[in-house]
Every structure is written in structure tokens, then in C-alpha cells.
Amino acid sequence: MKIGFFDSGVGGISVLYQALKIMPNEDYLYYADTEHVPYGVKNKEEVKSYVLEAADFIVSQGVKALVVACNTATSIAIDDLRARYDLPVLGMEPAVKPAVCRLKGMACNKRVLVTATPMTIKEKKLQHLLHQWDQKHIVDLLPLPKLVTLAEAGVFTGEEVDNYLQEVLAPFHLKDYCTVVLGCTHFNFFKDGISRFFDDDAVIIDGSLGTVCYLERILYERGLKEKNDGQIEFYCSGQLVSGAKQQFYQSLLQRLEQLDN
Ligand code: DGL
């Protein structure tokens, strides 16, 4: 059986990429809700209905686990999804805990910058994480909605990206930050562009590896691991994808591999 991965668009491909590295012998179904992307700037109830519709479709295809490879969708619908299906449902959350814990071991006054969509920043899940882990108030928040639109257009580098990052980062004293959290899966495609603004010893982290390691553990514990060919089926809002769109998605896996090296 396949493992279902879901995102509003291309962002979750960065989580799928980690899964392919760790579990190359599983088969995957990747679902991008391209009809409704971006989620992060929309109304909460509207997004929740899109997420439930997409997840119903994915589960109807017969998957053994569902990974909500989207911080925004996780923030607003993970409890509903877990109550709705009798299979493991995993989500994503901004990596606030590892970012803050990294700083605890250092004797310095450095700060953490958490980037996410406007909806993730407003929602209870992130606020709860901050309440739990950021007692010293060393975390600052930055919404980056335009990176979602740029990623959907396949624009990951160049003047438009650089100008946008320059503009949104201008109010921050960038030397203060030693950790940047990518709290939206779309942002993983811009890791190189973002890291250029920070000191060489600053690290850029995200939650995808943590989610995938947890997925592997759950599959193992439930005896659900398989030896398949590592096939991937891509869907866009309920339609199986082929041709140029499929090639575009495959090319994104290659971009992530380049960023990794
Ligand atoms: N990739 C998504 C996330 O991790 C959301 C992007 C969007 O649709 O706004 O939050």
C-alpha cells in the first residue's frame, strides 16, 4: 500500500524527498491541492473544508498512512483528520523546540527567527509551542506568504526572490539570529537564498526529517513497512498528473537533492 502525502501545493514535495531518502522502498501518493493553493492567506473554515476534501480523496485511494506535509493544514485540521480516519495521520509543526533547545546550550544572546504562513503564525498550535518553549522570548515571527506563490510558479532563485527577502528581512538585525526555522514546507526550496542573509554559523532548520523519522517508526511498529519500487503518483486536486506537470514535480525532487549537497 502507498503512503499518502498532502500539501496545498509543491511544499510537501520537500517532505516526500526526505521520505524517499529514508524509505526508498515504499510507494507514495502525493496530492497537491493546486486548485486552492495558497492556504496560508485564506479563511480558516474554507481551508479546513479543502483539507478534509483532499484527505477523503487520498484515503479513498487506499493509503496505509497520511502525512499532512503542510504546517498550515496541520494547524487547523489535524485533530479532525485523526478523528476521521482509522490510520496513522502525521502532521508538521514549526521546529520551535529544537531551535530553542539548540540555543540553551550556548552562552550567547542570539535569537531564533520562525518563518511560516500568516495562518500558521496566527493559529493556536504555534502559539502553544511558543508558550511551551519560548519562555525567554528569544523567538521572533515572520510571515512569508509570497514564497508560496513563487514556489508554485517554479521561481526559486533570482531577482524577485532576492528582492522580496531583502524587503521582509530589512527590519531585522540579522546578526542576532543563529537559527532560522522554516515553518512552511514551501520555504524549503529557498533554503540557499534565505541562508545568504544570515551569518555562516546560523543554521536553517525545518520539521520534515523529524516527521519522516516518526513516520518510519510508526510503520515499523505496526508492521506496515514494505519492499516496493519507490513509485510516486502525483495528483493535483483529485486529478492524476502526467506529462509536463509530472516532470515539474520530479524536477523539484532534483532541486532538493542539489540543495542537500
Ligand atoms: N506548505 C504549506 C505549509 O507548510 C502552506 C502553503 C500555503 O498554501 O499557504 O504551511
Side-chain angles (χ1 to χ4, degrees):
M1 269 174 118
K2 290 170 277 224
I3 303 169
F5 273 72
F6 164 67
D7 182 41
S8 59
V10 297
I13 292 179
S14 61
V15 190
L16 173 66
Y17 169 74
Q18 296 292 350
L20 284 162
K21 271 198 344 194
I22 289 180
M23 294 178 284
N25 295 318
E26 296 289 345
D27 288 338
Y28 298 92
L29 181 162
Y30 185 85
Y31 187 110
D33 193 7
T34 43
E35 264 178 33
H36 304 119
V37 68
Y39 281 176
V41 291
K42 292 199 168 77
N43 151 311
K44 181 173 164 179
E45 288 313 313
E46 188 185 357
V47 172
K48 194 187 269 190
S49 75
Y50 297 149
V51 175
L52 296 181
E53 188 187 334
D56 281 351
F57 177 86
I58 298 166
V59 173
S60 77
Q61 300 299 300
V63 293
K64 60 184 172 184
L66 174 64
V67 179
V68 183
C70 174
N71 296 265
T72 309
T74 302
S75 294
I76 59 159
I78 199 76
D79 294 338
D80 298 82
L81 294 171
R82 288 191 175 132
R84 203 170 170 99
Y85 313 115
D86 190 19
L87 54 102
V89 179
L90 288 84
M92 301 284 307
E93 65 181 27
V96 171
K97 179 182 166 188
V100 172
C101 289
R102 175 173 186 259
L103 264 171
K104 272 191 188 145
M106 299 181 185
C108 64
N109 294 324
K110 293 273 185 178
R111 302 185 64 77
V112 171
L113 186 64
V114 173
T115 63
T117 65
M119 190 181 286
T120 300
I121 287 179
K122 261 188 273 150
E123 275 307 305
K124 282 198 292 286
K125 195 167 178 66
L126 179 57
Q127 294 305 327
H128 180 73
L129 279 173
L130 294 173
H131 183 72
Q132 206 177 358
W133 298 105
D134 185 28
Q135 272 117 12
K136 293 201 174 143
H137 304 290
I138 55 164
V139 175
D140 297 310
L141 301 172
L142 175 64
L144 294 174
K146 194 172 170 185
L147 289 188
V148 176
T149 326
L150 288 166
E152 289 304 312
V155 178
F156 303 111
T157 54
E159 218 179 311
E160 209 179 347
V161 174
D162 292 345
N163 290 347
Y164 175 61
L165 290 173
Q166 183 90 54
E167 183 192 320
V168 290
L169 291 170
F172 295 87
H173 188 246
L174 301 179
K175 290 217 167 299
D176 288 350
Y177 296 92
C178 71
T179 313
V180 180
V181 175
L182 305 180
C184 166
T185 52
H186 280 74
F187 301 171
N188 294 333
F189 293 102
F190 301 92
K191 209 169 170 174
D192 49 352
I194 293 172
S195 71
R196 243 179 272 142
F197 286 86
F198 295 87
D199 281 350
D200 288 349
D201 55 355
V203 296
I204 315 278
I205 61 172
D206 70 276
S208 50
L209 186 59
T211 295
V212 166
C213 289
Y214 184 46
L215 170 67
E216 186 186 31
R217 198 174 90 205
I218 289 195
L219 296 180
Y220 175 77
E221 283 170 0
R222 300 191 183 195
L224 292 172
K225 289 196 78 177
E226 284 175 75
K227 278 230 169 297
N228 294 325
D229 300 335
Q231 305 267 1
I232 315 167
E233 274 177 3
F234 290 103
Y235 284 84
C236 281
S237 300
Q239 299 297 318
L240 187 63
V241 161
S242 59
K245 191 87 186 175
Q246 190 181 17
Q247 274 163 25
F248 172 56
Y249 287 165
Q250 292 286 357
S251 76
L252 297 182
L253 290 167
Q254 283 154 23
R255 166 154 180 83
L256 292 160
E257 202 170 341
Q258 282 159 13
L259 286 177
D260 232 5
N261 295 324

Coordinates of all heavy atoms in Angstrom, one line a residue, residues 7-12 36-42 68-75 92 116-120 145 148-149 152 182-187, ligand 1:
D7 N -0.3 18.3 0.6 CA 0.0 19.7 0.8 C -0.9 20.6 -0.1 O -1.5 20.1 -1.0 CB 1.5 20.0 0.5 CG 1.9 21.5 0.8 OD1 1.4 22.0 1.8 OD2 2.6 22.1 0.0
S8 N -0.9 21.9 0.2 CA -1.7 22.8 -0.7 C -1.1 22.8 -2.1 O -1.7 23.2 -3.0 CB -1.7 24.2 -0.1 OG -0.4 24.7 0.1
G9 N 0.2 22.6 -2.1 CA 0.9 22.7 -3.4 C 2.2 21.9 -3.4 O 2.2 20.7 -3.0
V10 N 3.3 22.5 -3.9 CA 4.6 21.8 -4.1 C 5.4 21.7 -2.8 O 6.3 20.9 -2.7 CB 5.5 22.5 -5.1 CG1 4.8 22.5 -6.5 CG2 5.8 24.0 -4.7
G11 N 5.0 22.4 -1.7 CA 5.8 22.4 -0.5 C 6.1 21.0 0.1 O 7.2 20.7 0.4
G12 N 5.0 20.2 0.1 CA 5.1 18.9 0.7 C 6.1 17.9 0.0 O 6.5 16.9 0.5
H36 N -6.7 25.2 -4.9 CA -6.9 26.1 -3.7 C -5.7 26.7 -3.1 O -5.8 27.5 -2.1 CB -7.7 25.3 -2.7 CG -9.0 24.7 -3.2 ND1 -9.2 23.4 -3.2 CD2 -10.1 25.3 -3.8 CE1 -10.4 23.2 -3.8 NE2 -10.9 24.3 -4.1
V37 N -4.5 26.4 -3.6 CA -3.3 27.0 -3.0 C -3.3 28.5 -3.4 O -3.8 28.9 -4.4 CB -2.0 26.3 -3.6 CG1 -1.9 26.6 -5.1 CG2 -0.8 26.6 -2.9
P38 N -2.9 29.4 -2.5 CA -2.3 29.2 -1.2 C -3.3 29.1 -0.1 O -4.4 29.7 -0.2 CB -1.5 30.5 -1.0 CG -2.2 31.5 -1.8 CD -2.8 30.8 -2.9
Y39 N -3.0 28.3 0.9 CA -3.9 28.2 2.1 C -3.7 29.3 3.1 O -4.6 29.7 3.8 CB -3.6 26.8 2.8 CG -4.2 25.6 2.2 CD1 -3.9 24.3 2.7 CD2 -5.1 25.6 1.1 CE1 -4.5 23.2 2.2 CE2 -5.6 24.5 0.5 CZ -5.3 23.2 1.1 OH -5.8 22.1 0.6
G40 N -2.4 29.6 3.3 CA -2.0 30.4 4.4 C -2.6 31.8 4.5 O -2.4 32.5 5.6
V41 N -3.2 32.3 3.4 CA -3.7 33.7 3.5 C -5.3 33.6 3.4 O -5.9 34.7 3.2 CB -3.2 34.5 2.3 CG1 -1.7 34.8 2.5 CG2 -3.4 33.8 0.9
K42 N -5.8 32.4 3.5 CA -7.3 32.3 3.3 C -7.9 32.2 4.7 O -7.3 32.2 5.7 CB -7.6 31.0 2.5 CG -7.2 31.2 1.0 CD -8.0 30.1 0.2 CE -7.8 30.4 -1.3 NZ -6.5 30.1 -1.8
V68 N 0.4 14.9 6.5 CA -0.1 16.2 6.2 C 1.2 17.1 6.1 O 1.7 17.6 7.1 CB -1.1 16.8 7.2 CG1 -1.6 18.1 6.8 CG2 -2.2 15.8 7.4
A69 N 1.8 17.1 4.9 CA 3.1 17.8 4.7 C 2.9 19.3 4.6 O 3.5 19.9 3.7 CB 3.8 17.1 3.5
C70 N 2.2 19.8 5.5 CA 1.8 21.3 5.4 C 1.5 21.7 6.8 O 0.7 21.2 7.5 CB 0.5 21.4 4.6 SG -0.2 23.0 4.5
N71 N 2.3 22.7 7.2 CA 2.2 23.3 8.6 C 0.8 23.9 8.8 O 0.2 23.9 9.8 CB 3.3 24.3 8.9 CG 4.7 23.7 8.9 OD1 5.2 23.3 9.9 ND2 5.3 23.5 7.7
T72 N 0.4 24.6 7.7 CA -0.9 25.4 7.8 C -2.1 24.4 8.0 O -2.9 24.6 8.9 CB -1.1 26.2 6.5 OG1 0.1 27.0 6.3 CG2 -2.2 27.1 6.6
A73 N -2.1 23.4 7.1 CA -3.2 22.4 7.2 C -3.2 21.7 8.6 O -4.2 21.4 9.2 CB -3.1 21.4 6.1
T74 N -2.0 21.4 9.0 CA -1.8 20.7 10.3 C -2.4 21.6 11.4 O -3.2 21.1 12.3 CB -0.4 20.4 10.7 OG1 0.2 19.6 9.6 CG2 -0.2 19.7 12.0
S75 N -2.1 22.9 11.4 CA -2.6 23.8 12.4 C -4.1 23.8 12.6 O -4.6 23.9 13.7 CB -2.2 25.3 12.1 OG -0.9 25.4 12.1
M92 N 2.8 18.3 10.5 CA 4.1 19.1 10.6 C 3.9 20.3 11.5 O 2.8 20.8 11.6 CB 4.3 19.8 9.2 CG 4.5 18.9 8.0 SD 6.0 18.1 7.9 CE 7.2 19.4 8.1
A116 N 6.8 31.3 8.6 CA 5.7 30.5 8.4 C 4.6 31.2 7.6 O 4.9 32.4 7.2 CB 5.0 30.0 9.7
T117 N 3.5 30.6 7.3 CA 2.4 31.4 6.6 C 1.7 32.2 7.6 O 1.7 32.0 8.8 CB 1.4 30.4 5.9 OG1 0.7 29.7 7.0 CG2 2.0 29.5 5.0
P118 N 1.0 33.3 7.2 CA 0.2 34.1 8.1 C -0.7 33.3 9.0 O -0.9 33.5 10.2 CB -0.5 35.1 7.2 CG 0.3 35.2 6.0 CD 0.9 33.8 5.8
M119 N -1.4 32.3 8.4 CA -2.3 31.4 9.2 C -1.6 30.6 10.3 O -2.1 30.6 11.4 CB -3.1 30.5 8.2 CG -4.3 29.9 9.0 SD -5.2 28.8 7.9 CE -6.1 29.9 6.9
T120 N -0.5 30.0 9.9 CA 0.2 29.2 10.9 C 0.6 30.1 12.1 O 0.6 29.8 13.3 CB 1.5 28.6 10.3 OG1 1.0 27.7 9.3 CG2 2.3 27.8 11.3
P145 N 4.3 35.0 3.0 CA 3.4 34.4 2.0 C 3.8 34.4 0.6 O 3.4 33.5 -0.2 CB 2.1 35.3 2.2 CG 2.6 36.5 2.9 CD 3.8 36.1 3.7
V148 N 5.3 31.2 -1.1 CA 4.4 30.2 -1.5 C 4.0 30.4 -3.0 O 4.1 29.4 -3.8 CB 3.1 30.1 -0.6 CG1 2.1 29.1 -1.1 CG2 3.5 29.9 0.8
T149 N 3.7 31.6 -3.3 CA 3.3 31.9 -4.7 C 4.5 31.7 -5.7 O 4.3 31.1 -6.8 CB 2.8 33.4 -4.8 OG1 2.2 33.8 -3.6 CG2 1.9 33.6 -6.0
E152 N 5.1 28.0 -6.2 CA 4.1 27.4 -7.1 C 4.4 27.7 -8.6 O 4.1 27.0 -9.5 CB 2.7 27.9 -6.8 CG 2.1 27.3 -5.5 CD 2.1 25.8 -5.4 OE1 1.6 25.2 -6.4 OE2 2.6 25.2 -4.4
L182 N 12.2 27.1 9.2 CA 11.3 27.2 8.0 C 10.0 26.4 8.4 O 9.9 25.2 8.4 CB 11.9 26.5 6.8 CG 13.3 27.1 6.4 CD1 13.9 26.4 5.2 CD2 13.2 28.6 6.2
G183 N 9.0 27.2 8.8 CA 7.7 26.6 9.3 C 6.7 26.5 8.3 O 5.5 26.6 8.6
C184 N 7.1 26.5 7.0 CA 6.2 26.2 5.9 C 7.0 25.4 4.9 O 8.1 25.7 4.6 CB 5.7 27.5 5.3 SG 4.9 27.3 3.7
T185 N 6.4 24.3 4.5 CA 7.1 23.3 3.7 C 7.6 23.9 2.3 O 8.6 23.5 1.7 CB 6.4 22.0 3.4 OG1 5.0 22.3 3.0 CG2 6.2 21.3 4.7
H186 N 6.8 24.9 1.8 CA 7.2 25.6 0.6 C 8.6 26.3 0.7 O 9.3 26.5 -0.2 CB 6.2 26.7 0.2 CG 5.0 26.1 -0.5 ND1 4.0 25.4 0.1 CD2 4.6 26.2 -1.8 CE1 3.0 25.1 -0.7 NE2 3.4 25.5 -1.9
F187 N 8.9 26.7 1.9 CA 10.1 27.6 2.1 C 11.4 26.7 2.0 O 12.4 27.3 1.8 CB 10.1 28.2 3.5 CG 8.9 29.2 3.8 CD1 8.7 29.7 5.1 CD2 8.0 29.5 2.8 CE1 7.6 30.5 5.3 CE2 6.9 30.4 3.1 CZ 6.8 30.9 4.3
Ligands
DGL1 N1 3.1 24.4 2.5 C1 2.2 25.0 3.5 C2 2.8 25.0 4.9 O1 3.6 24.2 5.2 C3 1.3 26.1 3.2 C4 1.4 27.0 2.0 C5 0.1 27.7 1.6 O2 -0.7 27.1 1.0 O3 0.0 28.9 2.1 O4 2.3 25.7 5.7

